[in-house]
């Protein structure tokens, strides 16, 4: 295709378009039909008869296809083709259509179009404002931060309220809720908008009120008026205008001694009405707190806790005074202080103590009653009942405690002492306090008793019977008579004496001797039973005390007979060397007594039996008896209290004396009864007749059959 042909075609096309457009524009009405309607009209409401207002035939509207073209927004209006009326299709919100513009005018622009021929009419519908919107703040909550140091009169801007309505229906004024500190003034902007100016009418104090909650109300000028609100929250900013304060200015605290390390004493609480760093507190001791106190108690600088740092001893230190300072962290720090008095309470942690001030030992056993033996003092470092002590000694002792002065006691003798029973006493002093639980201590002292010669020597027996065989050797030990003295030393050293007594002009010291040191008794001569049969004397034991004490005992020496004499026939009597003849009848019966010999040996045996019976009767208490009385041949020996004289009590006493007389003549006396009669024949038998056998212990009786010879 050629270039010149193409250019020609384009020209023709452009010309055609211009002609069409010109024809179209020539049918557009340049006039504008204006309507004014209020917003919020109900759907179907008729605005006007558009056909009549445009000069159109109502009957041709359908044929000519009359329609409305919305230039802006959505289709709120339409035309009834049958009647030509303009009516509301959808409720119109002026504020929405006009995008909440505050301008006074808000329009809907329409075009009414008809065909055959084409006609276009411009229609303008003004939407009139109604007071259907309340003022509204951009933010429901308005926050303001104002320092408490801000002077009164200071002004602050607040967000203004917006009302979509216009004119008199827009925001007209503002109101603020009642406040002691704040108020507002309504101001008008360049465009006529109203806003509230917030100002301080009284100085703030954050510590009294840190936050102020207010209500700001915006009111429009509509009828009826509409309003909107916003919360105004004023947070008062802190300035360090308050010093820390303690809940109590003075603290008195009690704590037990020996409380464990780390034990809590007190938790101090200081408060600062400020906030932030202005209320952050640090605790410290003041310069008035002693080093001793600071070494004993620990202060936590952050928490204010005071705890035990060192050992607490009531007896060493009882009161601790301290001053604690609380300082805030403000730029210009402020501080407060409190004083603390810590009283250490006593625990029963000290044992009572005993101190023996004086002690007298040894002491004589005969010490007088109520004599002071010792002086004792007691003490306890604790206080109160913990320091009250009681002193005691065992109950079973002959001593008692007597309080002489405060905490001083005397130990005195309360009962007689006897060294021989108890030679020494271990006196235990026990002191006990009245704490809970109680503590005690004890001290023991030994009291030794010195001997006093207060005991006489004592023999085991009060009466001694000593048997001595006759013909004893001179100097022979007869017995040992030992006494006992419970005293000590010289008081128990004994000396023995024989108390002098003469018998038949003979002194006892000539017959007996006693060792003065050990009480051994000796015979100084040989005794002959046929001459001396017994001795009675006293031995004395004397100690070496000062003054000496003594006692004596009775000694009975019994001479025991030995068979040291040959028999002598005293009956029947005969001349020396002659033969005794006895004549008997031839008719004498077998077994009849012919003659009787009672020799010297028989008499000696009878005397021994007599002495033994006497001793038995003396030593034993007689008991009632139903036994038969003794026979005529029995011998009874009695001893009086002064001398032991023996007396033969029987019908044989005469024969015994005759026996002694004939014996001295060298004859044997034989007592011979007369057969079948009561008379006796005494025959004397010369010695050497064959009847001298010393083994005979009784009188010999000769019995014969038809003839008897001696």
């Amino acid at each position: 295709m050629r270039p010149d042909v193409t250019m020609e075609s384009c020209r023709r096309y452009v010309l055609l378009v211009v002609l069409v457009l010109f024809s179209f524009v020539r049918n557009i009405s340049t006039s504008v039909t204006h309507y004014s309607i209020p917003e919020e009209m109900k759907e179907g409401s008729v605005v006007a008869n558009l056909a009549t207002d445009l000069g159109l035939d109502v009957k041709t509207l359908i044929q000519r296809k009359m329609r409305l073209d919305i230039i802006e927004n959505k289709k709120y209006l339409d035309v009834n083709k049958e009647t030509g009326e303009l009516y509301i299709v959808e409720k119109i919100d002026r504020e929405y259509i006009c995008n909440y513009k505050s301008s006074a005018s808000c329009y809907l622009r329409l075009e009414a179009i008809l065909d055959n021929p084409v006609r276009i009419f411009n229609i303008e519908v003004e939407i009139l404002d109604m007071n259907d919107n309340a003022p509204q703040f951009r933010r429901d909550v308005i926050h303001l931060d104002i320092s408490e140091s801000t002077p009164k009169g200071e002004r602050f801007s607040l967000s203004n309220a917006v009302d979509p309505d216009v004119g008199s229906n827009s925001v007209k004024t503002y109101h603020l809720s009642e406040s002691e500190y704040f108020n507002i003034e309504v101001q008008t902007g360049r465009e006529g908008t109203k806003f509230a100016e917030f100002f301080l009418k009284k100085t703030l104090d954050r510590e009294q009120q840190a936050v102020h909650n207010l209500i700001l109300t915006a009111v429009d000028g509509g009828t009826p008026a509409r309003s909107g609100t916003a919360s105004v929250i004023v947070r008062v900013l802190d300035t360090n205008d308050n010093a820390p304060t303690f809940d109590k200015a003075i603290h008195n605290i009690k704590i037990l001694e020996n409380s464990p390390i780390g034990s809590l004493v007190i938790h101090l609480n200081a408060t600062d009405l400020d906030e932030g760093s202005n209320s952050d507190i640090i605790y410290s001791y003041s310069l008035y707190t002693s080093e001793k106190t600071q070494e004993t108690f620990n202060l936590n600088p952050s928490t204010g806790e005071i705890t035990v740092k060192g050992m607490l001893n009531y007896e060493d230190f009882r009161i601790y005074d301290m001053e604690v300072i609380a300082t805030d962290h403000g730029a210009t720090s402020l501080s407060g202080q409190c004083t603390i008095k810590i009283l250490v309470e006593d625990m029963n942690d000290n044992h009572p103590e005993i101190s023996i001030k004086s002690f007298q030992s040894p002491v004589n056993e005969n010490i007088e009653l109520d004599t002071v033996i010792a002086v004792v003092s007691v003490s306890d470092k604790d206080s109160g009942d913990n320091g009250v002590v009681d002193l005691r000694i065992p109950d079973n002792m002959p001593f008692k405690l007597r309080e002489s002065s405060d905490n001083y006691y005397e130990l005195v003798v309360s009962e007689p002492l006897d060294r021989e029973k108890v030679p020494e006493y271990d006196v235990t002093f026990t002191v006990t306090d009245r704490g809970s639980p109680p503590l005690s201590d004890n001290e023991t002292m030994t009291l030794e008793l010195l001997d006093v010669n207060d005991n006489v020597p004592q023999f085991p027996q009060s009466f001694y019977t000593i048997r001595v065989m006759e013909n004893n050797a001179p100097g022979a030990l007869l017995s040992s008579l030992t006494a006992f003295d419970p005293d000590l030393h010289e008081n128990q050293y004994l000396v023995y004496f024989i108390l002098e007594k003469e018998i038949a002009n003979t002194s006892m010291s000539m017959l007996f001797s006693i060792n003065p040191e050990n009480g051994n008794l000796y015979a100084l001569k040989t005794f002959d039973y046929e001459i001396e049969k017994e001795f009675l004397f006293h031995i004395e034991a004397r100690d070496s005390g000062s003054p000496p004490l003594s006692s004596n005992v009775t000694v009975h020496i019994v001479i025991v007979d030995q068979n040291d004499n040959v028999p002598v026939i005293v009956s029947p009597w005969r001349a020396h060397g002659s033969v005794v003849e006895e004549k008997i009848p031839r008719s004498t019966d077998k077994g009849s007594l012919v003659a009787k010999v009672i020799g010297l040996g028989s008499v000696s045996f009878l005397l021994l039996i007599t002495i033994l019976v006497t001793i038995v009767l003396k030593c034993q208490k007689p008991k009632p008896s139903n036994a038969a009385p003794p026979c005529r041949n029995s011998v009874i020996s009695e001893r009086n209290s002064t001398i032991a004289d023996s007396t033969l009590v029987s019908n044989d006493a005469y024969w015994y004396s005759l026996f002694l007389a004939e014996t001295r003549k060298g004859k044997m006396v034989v007592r011979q009864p007369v057969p079948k009669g009561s008379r006796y024949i005494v025959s004397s038998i010369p010695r050497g007749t064959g009847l001298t056998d010393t083994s005979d212990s009784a009188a010999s009786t000769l019995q014969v059959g038809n003839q008897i010879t001696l």
Side-chain angles (χ1 to χ4, degrees):
M1 184 178 288
R2 295 186 303 174
D4 56 349
V5 177
T6 303
M7 290 296 293
E8 185 63 25
S9 297
C10 288
R11 290 191 187 96
R12 291 177 180 178
Y13 180 75
V14 170
L15 179 61
L16 179 62
V17 172
V18 170
L19 291 174
V20 172
L21 288 176
F22 175 76
S23 177
F24 180 77
V25 171
R26 187 171 60 86
N27 291 306
I28 296 176
S29 176
T30 58
S31 62
V32 177
T33 303
H34 180 82
Y35 296 99
S36 294
I37 63 172
E39 61 178 332
E40 305 292 338
M41 289 182 68
K42 294 181 179 180
E43 296 177 0
S45 299
V46 176
V47 176
N49 193 315
L50 183 60
T52 302
D53 293 339
L54 295 177
L56 299 175
D57 185 1
V58 175
K59 296 179 181 180
T60 62
L61 295 180
I62 296 174
Q63 183 182 0
R64 297 183 67 180
K65 298 180 181 180
M66 186 179 181
R67 56 191 181 276
L68 290 179
D69 190 9
I70 305 299
I71 298 176
E72 294 179 352
N73 298 310
K74 60 189 299 187
K75 189 175 182 178
Y76 290 98
L77 299 170
D78 203 356
V79 64
N80 188 332
K81 297 178 180 65
E82 293 180 354
T83 62
E85 293 176 339
L86 183 66
Y87 65 92
I88 302 296
V89 177
E90 183 177 346
K91 184 182 290 187
I92 300 172
D93 185 354
R94 177 187 179 277
E95 290 75 27
Y96 177 76
I97 294 174
C98 296
N99 296 321
Y100 295 94
K101 295 179 181 179
S102 60
S103 59
S105 300
C106 181
Y107 299 94
L108 288 176
R109 290 178 173 85
L110 309 172
E111 288 181 347
I113 303 173
L114 291 90
D115 294 336
N116 300 319
V118 176
R119 292 287 303 271
I120 298 176
F121 299 93
N122 292 320
I123 302 170
E124 182 182 76
V125 180
E126 181 182 6
I127 307 300
L128 300 177
D129 181 50
M130 292 185 66
N131 193 23
D132 61 342
N133 291 283
Q136 185 176 4
F137 290 91
R138 293 184 176 90
R139 290 177 294 176
D140 292 335
V141 180
I142 301 173
H143 291 279
L144 288 177
D145 290 339
I146 303 175
S147 173
E148 63 177 328
S149 61
T150 302
K152 70 177 182 177
E154 190 77 13
R155 292 178 177 268
F156 305 90
S157 296
L158 296 176
S159 298
N160 62 312
V162 176
D163 193 332
D165 297 326
V166 294
S168 62
N169 293 331
S170 64
V171 177
K172 183 179 181 180
T173 187
Y174 291 90
H175 300 289
L176 184 66
S177 59
E178 185 67 24
S179 174
E180 181 183 356
Y181 297 93
F182 302 99
N183 208 345
I184 59 171
E185 286 185 358
V186 180
Q187 303 291 340
T188 303
R190 292 180 181 180
E191 297 180 357
T193 58
K194 302 291 185 178
F195 63 91
E197 194 173 59
F198 195 73
F199 68 92
L200 185 64
K201 66 178 183 179
K202 183 180 180 180
T203 304
L204 299 174
D205 187 349
R206 191 202 66 80
E207 289 70 38
Q208 290 186 1
Q209 188 172 352
V211 176
H212 297 264
N213 293 304
L214 306 171
I215 300 296
L216 180 63
T217 303
V219 183
D220 63 21
T223 303
R226 291 179 178 270
S227 63
T229 61
S231 296
V232 179
I233 299 177
V234 179
R235 185 166 64 94
V236 182
L237 299 180
D238 181 55
T239 58
N240 194 23
D241 58 345
N242 291 279
T245 57
F246 289 90
D247 51 1
K248 290 178 64 176
I250 299 176
H251 294 271
N252 291 315
I253 302 170
K254 294 181 179 180
I255 186 172
L256 287 175
E257 65 173 329
N258 298 328
S259 293
I261 303 298
S263 298
L264 179 65
V265 178
I266 186 176
H267 188 175
L268 294 176
N269 183 30
T271 57
D272 193 320
L273 298 178
D274 297 323
E275 64 178 2
S277 61
N278 296 330
S279 64
D280 293 339
I281 296 175
I282 186 170
Y283 298 89
S284 61
Y285 287 119
S286 72
L287 297 176
Y288 297 102
T289 304
S290 67
E291 292 185 2
K292 171 67 175 177
T293 300
Q294 296 186 43
E295 292 173 355
T296 307
F297 298 95
N298 180 64
L299 173 62
N300 189 313
S302 300
T303 64
E305 291 182 345
I306 296 179
T307 55
V308 177
K309 181 180 179 181
M311 289 300 299
L312 298 176
N313 192 336
Y314 173 85
E315 291 71 33
D316 294 340
F317 218 76
R318 302 182 181 183
I319 300 176
Y320 294 87
D321 292 306
M322 62 181 69
E323 186 177 73
V324 176
I325 298 176
T327 307
D328 62 29
H329 285 178
T332 303
S333 61
L334 301 176
S335 62
Q337 63 186 25
C338 72
T339 58
I340 303 168
K341 183 184 292 292
I342 299 178
L343 305 176
V344 179
E345 289 188 323
D346 183 40
M347 281 184 64
N348 196 21
D349 60 339
N350 289 281
H351 287 264
E353 298 178 353
I354 302 175
S355 177
I356 299 178
K357 300 300 182 181
S358 66
F359 173 51
Q360 181 182 356
S361 178
V363 297
N364 289 332
E365 61 176 321
N366 63 345
I367 189 171
E368 295 183 358
L369 296 181
D370 214 35
T371 301
V372 177
I373 299 297
V375 176
V376 178
S377 70
V378 293
S379 62
D380 194 318
K381 294 180 180 180
D382 295 322
S383 63
D385 288 343
N386 297 332
V388 178
V389 296
D390 300 306
L391 182 66
R392 70 177 187 275
I393 59 174
D395 296 333
N396 56 346
M397 285 195 170
F399 308 103
K400 65 180 180 180
L401 288 170
R402 181 173 62 197
E403 188 171 6
S404 59
S405 61
D406 188 22
N407 290 333
Y408 277 82
Y409 295 85
E410 294 176 344
L411 180 68
V412 298
V413 180
S414 61
E415 299 176 15
L417 305 180
D418 189 348
R419 189 207 63 80
E420 287 71 36
K421 292 182 179 178
V422 182
E424 66 180 22
Y425 291 90
D426 290 329
V427 183
T428 300
F429 295 92
T430 302
V431 60
T432 306
D433 61 30
R434 298 182 184 178
S436 180
L439 299 178
S440 62
D441 196 8
N442 59 72
E443 186 78 21
T444 300
M445 71 173 193
T446 301
L447 176 64
E448 182 182 352
L449 300 184
L450 294 177
D451 183 54
V452 174
N453 193 23
D454 57 349
N455 291 279
V456 298
Q458 297 291 330
F459 285 94
Q461 301 173 212
S462 61
F463 186 89
Y464 287 87
T465 298
I466 303 173
R467 302 187 183 285
V468 180
M469 283 290 184
E470 65 175 333
N471 303 318
N472 60 293
L477 176 64
L478 303 183
S479 180
S480 180
L481 306 177
T482 304
F484 171 74
D485 193 323
D487 293 326
L488 291 179
H489 309 306
E490 65 274 5
N491 297 329
Q492 72 171 171
Y493 297 150
L494 302 181
V495 179
Y496 299 90
F497 303 92
I498 295 177
L499 297 181
E500 288 296 335
K501 180 180 180 181
E502 291 187 358
I503 299 178
N505 297 324
T506 303
S507 172
M508 287 293 107
S509 59
M510 300 297 293
L511 302 176
F512 303 97
S513 173
I514 190 169
N515 189 322
E517 294 182 355
N518 55 27
N520 288 344
L521 182 64
Y522 300 93
L524 297 181
K525 59 170 289 188
T526 300
F527 295 110
D528 187 352
Y529 172 81
E530 287 72 25
I531 299 176
E532 301 126 338
K533 295 180 175 56
E534 63 180 5
F535 301 93
L536 190 68
F537 57 91
H538 297 283
I539 292 179
E540 179 181 292
R542 182 184 303 166
D543 62 29
S544 302
S546 178
L549 300 178
S550 63
S551 65
N552 58 66
V553 66
T554 301
V555 179
H556 182 205
I557 303 296
V558 178
I559 307 300
V560 179
D561 182 41
Q562 287 185 329
N563 193 14
D564 59 346
N565 293 286
V566 297
V568 176
I569 296 176
V570 295
S571 175
W573 182 88
R574 65 177 178 81
H576 182 69
S578 62
V579 177
V580 177
E581 292 181 356
E582 292 288 342
K583 292 180 180 181
I584 61 175
R586 185 176 296 271
S587 62
T588 300
D589 295 331
K590 182 179 179 180
S592 298
L593 179 64
V594 177
K596 197 172 188 178
V597 181
I598 187 155
L600 182 58
S602 299
V603 176
S604 298
F605 175 76
L606 186 60
L607 180 60
L608 177 61
I609 295 300
T610 301
I611 295 175
L612 290 176
V613 171
T614 301
I615 293 174
V616 171
L617 293 177
K618 183 67 177 180
C619 296
Q620 293 184 351
K621 183 178 180 180
K623 296 182 180 179
S625 176
N626 295 326
C631 63
R632 60 184 299 274
N633 293 327
S634 63
V635 179
I636 301 176
S637 175
E638 294 182 355
R639 174 175 54 88
N640 57 32
S641 59
T642 306
I643 184 171
D645 294 330
S646 297
T647 304
L648 295 177
V649 183
S650 71
N651 292 332
D652 295 329
Y654 166 75
W655 299 108
Y656 177 66
S657 60
L658 179 61
F659 163 76
L660 294 178
E662 291 299 324
T663 300
R664 295 188 183 97
K665 299 177 182 179
K667 299 178 180 179
M668 177 178 292
V669 180
V670 178
R671 186 176 62 182
Q672 178 181 352
V674 177
K676 296 182 180 181
S678 60
R679 297 180 59 188
Y680 289 87
I681 299 174
V682 178
S683 302
S684 296
I685 303 174
R687 293 183 182 276
T689 59
L691 296 178
T692 59
D693 187 358
T694 58
S695 63
D696 293 339
S697 58
S700 298
T701 303
L702 304 181
Q703 298 181 358
V704 298
N706 297 326
Q707 184 177 359
I708 299 174
T709 59
L710 294 179

